[in-house]
Amino acid sequence: MDLFIKTFIDSIDEGIIAIDSFGIIAHFNQSASRISNIKPQNAIGKSFGQLFGNTALPQVLKAEFVEKELAIDNNIRIVAKSIPVIDDTQSIIGTIVIFRDITRLTDLTVQNTALMQMQSLLEAIINASDDAISVVDENGCGIIINPAYTRLTGLSEEDVIGKSAEFDIAEGESAHMQVLKNRKPLRGARLKVKPQNKDVLANVAPIIVEGTLKGSVAIVHDLSEMQRLADELSTAKHIIRSLAAKYTFSDIIGQSAQLKTSIHWAKKAAGVPVTVLIRGESGTGKELFAHAIHNESARKNNQFVRVNCAAVVENLFESQLFGYVEGAFTGAKRGGQKGLFEEADQGTLFFDEISELSTNTQAKLLRALQEKEIVRVGGSKPISVDVRVIAATHTNLEEAVQEGRFRQDLYYRLNVMPIFIPPLRLRREDIPDLAFHIIKRLNQDFGRNVHTIESHAMEILCAYPWYGNVRELENILSQSITKMKYNEIQILPEHLPDLRSELIHPEIRAGCTSTRGPNGVPEVDLTQTGKTSLKSFLARAEKEFLISSLAANLGNKVKTARKLNISIRSLYDKIKRYNLVDNQTTH
């Protein structure tokens, strides 16, 4: 072979093999040697099939052009083209095989496919994020924004992509440009963005690949939304907590037997560190009892924390109750924050209207009570707490348990020391003392000097059923005093709102009259209308109290007798005496 032609063939990047009509290799260039890892001297003069086996390459006798992708071994893939060599008589005198290595090209194709899939995944993640995201290149030109950024700023991709990072800034220096200049992250940059001049907070970080600055990425938050959440959090704090127990047992007004029984058991509860469940209708003074129990207990010098379960925002309640770690959610304080459990450590945590908690929160509360430890939102480290829990409710928890609205295991955990606060209609003899106590406070609030309640007006108050209990009594007296002239010192029937006392049983109305005591203090004389009226009044009150107690204990007579501090025989006698319909479960 001519030296020039041989040199030319050896310099070609493709592998070239010349084969004669007998399948013997006549020439094997350097590229063929490099691709196949066979030296030319070991190939020339050898049979093509001997070196490469049955590779399905076109046979020399086929007078056609063929191109195929083949594998020389497990690691090398080639594309080979077979060209027949034909003489003047149209006879095939040999074949030229030209092939090139596509192994690297195949690998690059696979890598490129993987990169494209990764890019699609990243774009999907960025677009799905609720956080507004903006990305610029090393020159500060926008290359990516997500839908959240458009919702926040009102700017579309056409407005941002390819534009300078300073384009969308209405006030302040572009955080992207600062990061590109300093090559350092920037946190908490406050800016105004076009076109609505919206206040935003941006966290920006440089994109550095193998030491080369490629751009920067910004996470942008709406400050107005963050402020709204902060205000909502502040409101929730104000609603659900109070850090002072203001009342003691001396602030509980009344001398009725029912109330004295409740106070007796509350004082017992104060002396032992058990969970207390205070039950009673709305307005009976459950929170007052909780304060008094705390102030009578060994924990009185530590925090009393009130949680109003009926007024909480569900998605904020867990972080308020258990606290949170730094970065737990957008707007979380640096260093995190203690929850109410930690603040009440060594003190008392009062859950008012416990039945209003969601079942999800009930489960977390149960765990805290059982384990005596909590885990902050976003954290994993348990924190031990020593908290005395007092819960209160006006609802029938047993019914709530049966209906699946309240967890049975939490009910048993709370109902260790139950205390029942009787409604005002079952302790009507306390109404005069309560009324005068309330009037003294209202005098200070309203700048008045009311001394007494006229006897008929007191009779009306004593006859009214007071379904709103003490809270309703306070409301009625407030309305009455505001109707009075500044120089009037006595509440008259005309000062009272319409209480529809004609609907009340005449025995109760007749059994409660009042006289004015020393220094104008109102008094009720239940014996004024005779012994029979007093007896009827007390019997009716006892009957109502028995019905209420049996209902509260789901008809369990043993439990009811124990709560009333009477024998079971005595309870059955009273049930028979008042001809109560015994449709409850007998125990």
Side-chain angles (χ1 to χ4, degrees):
M1 181 181 291
D2 183 89
L3 180 61
F4 176 79
I5 295 175
K6 181 178 181 301
T7 302
F8 172 75
I9 292 175
D10 282 340
S11 67
I12 293 174
D13 196 46
E14 283 83 2
I16 296 178
I17 304 175
I19 308 170
D20 64 16
S21 58
F22 299 103
I24 303 302
I25 296 173
H27 186 73
F28 201 83
N29 77 343
Q30 294 296 323
S31 293
S33 176
R34 173 177 51 78
I35 294 171
S36 66
N37 202 25
I38 300 173
K39 294 180 179 180
Q41 57 267 33
N42 294 331
I44 295 173
K46 301 287 181 64
S47 165
F48 184 87
Q50 182 181 350
L51 286 181
F52 296 104
N54 184 20
T55 63
L57 282 171
Q59 299 299 310
V60 296
L61 297 178
K62 290 185 178 180
E64 57 185 5
F65 292 87
V66 178
E67 184 172 356
K68 278 192 174 185
E69 181 180 327
L70 303 168
I72 293 180
D73 58 30
N74 291 333
N75 297 320
I76 300 176
R77 297 189 64 80
I78 64 171
V79 171
K81 181 186 295 184
S82 175
I83 304 173
V85 180
I86 302 172
D87 63 10
D88 295 337
T89 64
Q90 299 299 309
S91 300
I92 298 175
I93 60 174
T95 301
I96 302 295
V97 178
I98 303 173
F99 59 93
R100 62 182 180 274
D101 186 356
I102 63 167
T103 305
R104 187 182 175 194
L105 181 61
T106 302
D107 291 342
L108 287 174
T109 302
V110 172
Q111 291 176 22
N112 187 52
T113 301
L115 285 172
M116 290 178 66
Q117 291 175 344
M118 181 62 70
Q119 182 179 354
S120 298
L121 178 61
L122 288 173
E123 287 179 356
I125 292 172
I126 289 172
N127 289 336
S129 174
D130 285 333
D131 289 326
I133 299 174
S134 165
V135 183
V136 301
D137 62 18
E138 66 273 18
N139 298 315
C141 292
I143 54 176
I144 296 174
I145 62 168
N146 68 344
Y149 187 87
T150 298
R151 289 194 299 270
L152 173 62
T153 65
L155 297 171
S156 66
E157 288 187 342
E158 291 76 14
D159 297 325
V160 176
I161 304 303
K163 305 286 181 59
S164 169
E166 296 176 333
F167 164 78
D168 52 359
I169 304 300
E171 186 177 309
E173 184 181 355
S174 168
H176 275 305
M177 290 305 190
Q178 292 181 59
V179 168
L180 293 175
K181 178 181 177 181
N182 301 322
R183 298 171 64 98
K184 292 181 181 179
L186 181 62
R187 301 182 66 84
R190 299 189 64 162
L191 308 163
K192 285 184 182 290
V193 293
K194 297 177 182 177
Q196 302 168 359
N197 291 342
K198 183 167 286 189
D199 287 310
V200 299
L201 190 72
N203 296 324
V204 191
I207 302 172
I208 298 176
V209 180
E210 296 180 353
T212 302
L213 182 67
K214 295 293 186 180
S216 66
V217 57
I219 309 296
V220 185
H221 301 289
D222 186 349
L223 270 179
S224 60
E225 177 66 12
M226 293 173 67
Q227 185 60 48
R228 185 190 67 79
L229 291 174
D231 292 343
E232 192 172 314
L233 194 60
S234 177
T235 301
K237 286 181 182 179
H238 179 72
I239 290 173
I240 71 175
R241 61 176 293 195
S242 170
L243 297 179
K246 298 179 288 186
Y247 307 110
T248 65
F249 283 111
S250 63
D251 294 304
I252 301 175
I253 306 300
Q255 296 298 319
S256 63
Q258 296 93 331
L259 185 64
K260 284 184 176 180
T261 298
S262 300
I263 293 173
H264 168 76
W265 288 112
K267 287 183 176 180
K268 287 275 190 183
V272 290
V274 297
T275 302
V276 177
L277 180 61
I278 304 174
R279 306 185 65 167
E281 296 176 6
S282 294
T284 51
K286 297 186 291 295
E287 183 175 350
L288 190 152
F289 268 80
H291 284 232
I293 291 170
H294 173 79
N295 279 328
E296 190 86 359
S297 72
R299 298 171 181 260
K300 62 183 179 182
N301 294 322
N302 296 313
Q303 297 282 40
F304 176 88
V305 180
R306 176 180 179 269
V307 182
N308 185 352
C309 302
V312 300
V313 180
E314 176 64 24
N315 60 346
L316 295 176
F317 188 59
E318 186 179 350
S319 62
Q320 282 296 297
L321 200 58
F322 304 118
Y324 57 82
V325 299
E326 181 177 343
F329 51 83
T330 300
K333 289 183 179 178
R334 288 192 177 183
Q337 181 167 298
K338 285 183 178 181
L340 299 181
F341 260 98
E342 289 180 78
E343 289 189 358
D345 193 29
Q346 305 299 317
T348 300
L349 194 53
F350 173 50
F351 289 92
D352 196 10
E353 298 304 343
I354 188 84
S355 62
E356 299 299 320
L357 290 181
S358 68
T359 52
N360 180 50
T361 305
Q362 289 175 30
K364 293 174 181 177
L365 175 60
L366 175 65
R367 183 189 179 282
L369 295 179
Q370 288 177 334
E371 306 298 330
K372 295 185 177 180
E373 63 182 26
I374 56 96
V375 177
R376 291 185 180 184
V377 174
S380 58
K381 180 182 177 183
I383 301 171
S384 297
V385 288
D386 177 14
V387 172
R388 200 273 184 83
V389 169
I390 301 176
T393 182
H394 75 282
T395 61
N396 187 328
L397 282 187
E398 292 78 13
E399 183 179 293
V401 168
Q402 289 179 354
E403 294 176 356
R405 293 182 288 109
F406 200 82
R407 292 180 64 100
Q408 187 177 54
D409 44 10
L410 180 58
Y411 168 77
Y412 290 132
R413 176 65 61 175
L414 295 173
N415 198 38
V416 177
M417 188 75 169
I419 296 173
F420 175 75
I421 312 299
L424 191 54
R425 62 184 174 277
L426 296 186
R427 55 184 187 103
R428 296 175 188 273
E429 61 266 44
D430 291 336
I431 291 175
D433 287 341
L434 275 169
F436 182 64
H437 177 78
I438 292 169
I439 287 171
K440 285 199 301 184
R441 181 159 48 80
L442 293 176
N443 279 337
Q444 294 177 345
D445 293 344
F446 297 162
R448 297 299 184 92
N449 191 30
V450 178
H451 291 168
T452 63
I453 300 177
E454 191 268 336
S455 61
H456 184 54
M458 181 61 78
E459 183 180 325
I460 294 173
L461 293 177
C462 289
Y464 187 67
W466 299 112
Y467 295 113
N469 294 292
V470 180
R471 187 178 295 124
E472 186 180 11
L473 175 61
E474 181 175 358
N475 176 267
I476 294 300
L477 291 174
S478 297
Q479 292 185 53
S480 301
I481 291 177
T482 56
K483 289 181 180 180
M484 296 171 65
K485 296 177 182 179
Y486 275 94
N487 61 343
E488 290 183 302
I489 63 171
Q490 186 179 54
I491 296 178
L492 302 174
E494 56 263 32
H495 296 140
L496 297 174
D498 179 17
L499 298 181
R500 295 183 294 176
S501 59
E502 68 275 10
L503 299 178
I504 308 304
H505 197 284
E507 286 183 343
I508 299 175
R509 236 183 3 254
C512 187
T513 61
S514 68
T515 59
R516 189 184 308 169
N519 301 318
V521 177
E523 296 179 346
V524 176
D525 183 4
L526 294 175
T527 65
Q528 191 178 49
T529 57
K531 192 176 293 185
T532 302
S533 296
L534 174 61
K535 184 176 180 180
S536 298
F537 171 75
L538 293 176
R540 184 174 178 81
E542 184 176 50
K543 179 180 178 181
E544 287 189 17
F545 188 56
L546 284 172
I547 293 171
S548 177
S549 297
L550 284 165
N553 292 292
L554 298 177
N556 188 319
K557 297 178 180 62
V558 174
K559 200 171 183 181
T560 301
R562 189 182 303 123
K563 296 287 179 60
L564 297 178
N565 199 25
I566 61 176
S567 68
I568 187 68
R569 180 181 293 275
S570 177
L571 177 62
Y572 274 103
D573 287 344
K574 292 178 185 296
I575 290 173
K576 183 177 180 181
R577 182 191 312 159
Y578 295 120
N579 194 28
L580 298 180
V581 178
D582 189 9
N583 58 359
Q584 305 285 351
T585 303
T586 301
H587 297 275

